[in-house]
Amino acid sequence: MPMLEIRDLNTFYGHIHALKGISLDVDKGEVVTLIGSNGAGKSTTLKTISGLLNPKTGSITFNGQKINGTPAHKVAGMGVAQSPEGRRIFPRMTVLENLEMGAFSHGKADPADIERVFSLFPRLKERINQKAGTMSGGEQQMVAMGRALMARPTLLLLDEPSMGLSPIMVETIFGIIEDIHKQGTTVLLVEQNALMALAVASRGYVIQTGKIVLADSAKALMQNDMVRKAYLGEE
Ligand SMILES: Nc1ncnc2c1ncn2[C@@H]1O[C@H](COP(=O)(O)OP(=O)(O)OP(=O)(O)O)[C@@H](O)[C@H]1O
Ligand SMILES: [Mg+2]
């Protein structure tokens, strides 16, 4: 049984049919990536999984339990955490306060969880009392990911962690995604940076205008002509 099993999901924004029959699986222990261009439906997929959006039809099963229609805070309590697109940190709060906010589903933040985040992101420990809004884009991405980890997720949903970052910071962030995976967290990674995403993932899905058009191993996708042309920038 996959950890996350999505079948024939249809999500609408009013009359806009954003997800048109999405099906995908994530097994425990995997890093799976969902690749697609602007407006394809990547964020909508993650928001539907985390309970921020309610699908019209279809099912989402997490560890054998149907979760579509479950409110977002309950899905979070079941072990699904999302690091949203554009970070969405609390800019006036310090790094530490942002991390503490991520522990809301457990009540008070556990010092051991904060230490775990600091061991993954030493930069955050150095900046513990800095207001998050004054940090660099890459550091803010670290705050967003660290905050998500404070909920002790077994499934981490990452929405475009590389967005707007320098190549070096992209390398850093992807290295940390690998560390998080090695520590036992399952990851569903949404990216436009297909090259980096396929390098850390074992499998991937390609989404176009609300439909999955390809599903394969990361290796096979990297060699796929359509993927190379559309997402790896090759002629
Ligand atoms: N709040 C909303 N109201 C109406 N339409 C929306 C809303 N959010 C997204 N959409 C539409 O749903 C479709 C999918 O959007 P989504 O944000 O999931 O794309 P995406 O793949 O995450 O794109 P990007 O890479 O730009 O973040 C788009 O056509 C978008 O315009
Ligand atoms: Mg998006």
Side-chain angles (χ1 to χ4, degrees):
M1 177 184 73
M3 181 185 229
L4 178 73
E5 188 179 73
I6 298 180
R7 289 294 172 269
D8 206 17
L9 207 60
N10 286 278
T11 299
F12 289 75
Y13 296 101
H15 292 294
I16 298 170
H17 193 177
L19 299 187
K20 301 171 181 161
I22 297 282
S23 296
L24 66 84
D25 289 338
V26 180
D27 287 326
K28 190 169 168 8
E30 278 192 302
V31 176
V32 172
T33 186
L34 179 63
I35 297 165
S37 31
N38 290 121
K42 303 181 300 297
S43 297
T44 304
T45 302
L46 292 193
K47 287 178 190 164
T48 308
I49 296 167
S50 60
L52 296 172
L53 294 171
N54 202 354
K56 190 161 190 180
T57 59
S59 70
I60 306 173
T61 311
F62 180 64
N63 291 328
Q65 223 178 322
K66 181 176 160 284
I67 59 165
N68 42 298
T70 306
H73 70 276
K74 289 216 170 119
V75 176
M78 292 166 87
V80 180
Q82 183 171 7
S83 174
E85 183 180 316
R87 341 284 192 221
R88 305 239 173 181
I89 52 157
F90 302 106
R92 285 172 218 269
M93 290 187 179
T94 65
V95 168
L96 182 61
E97 287 162 351
N98 268 275
L99 296 181
E100 286 168 346
M101 293 299 287
F104 71 95
S105 58
H106 297 280
K108 208 169 154 8
D110 185 334
D113 291 333
I114 293 176
E115 275 315 309
R116 179 185 172 223
V117 169
F118 285 158
S119 71
L120 284 161
F121 303 97
R123 179 75 61 91
L124 295 186
K125 189 167 189 170
E126 294 163 17
R127 303 296 176 92
I128 184 167
N129 291 318
Q130 186 170 333
K131 295 256 187 293
T134 66
M135 298 179 86
S136 76
E139 290 165 348
Q140 292 191 19
Q141 182 58 45
M142 293 177 183
V143 173
M145 288 168 65
R147 187 181 58 186
L149 289 172
M150 288 298 293
R152 289 186 211 150
T154 52
L155 175 63
L156 178 62
L157 309 175
L158 295 176
D159 197 342
E160 295 204 45
S162 78
M163 190 167 65
L165 304 186
S166 70
I168 288 176
M169 188 53 92
V170 171
E171 294 274 348
T172 303
I173 293 291
F174 273 82
I176 296 166
I177 294 170
E178 283 184 325
D179 293 341
I180 292 168
H181 174 232
K182 281 190 204 126
Q183 291 184 3
T185 308
T186 305
V187 178
L188 178 56
L189 169 66
V190 156
E191 266 297 337
Q192 288 197 48
N193 189 333
L195 191 60
M196 292 301 287
L198 290 172
V200 300
S202 58
R203 293 189 303 113
Y205 294 85
V206 176
I207 182 171
Q208 280 176 1
T209 56
K211 288 185 182 149
I212 302 288
V213 294
L214 269 177
D216 215 328
S217 70
K219 220 176 179 174
L221 289 175
M222 233 177 300
Q223 280 154 11
N224 181 286
D225 278 345
M226 189 275 270
V227 173
R228 296 179 79 98
K229 279 196 189 119
Y231 304 104
L232 300 176
E234 293 188 5
E235 290 302 309

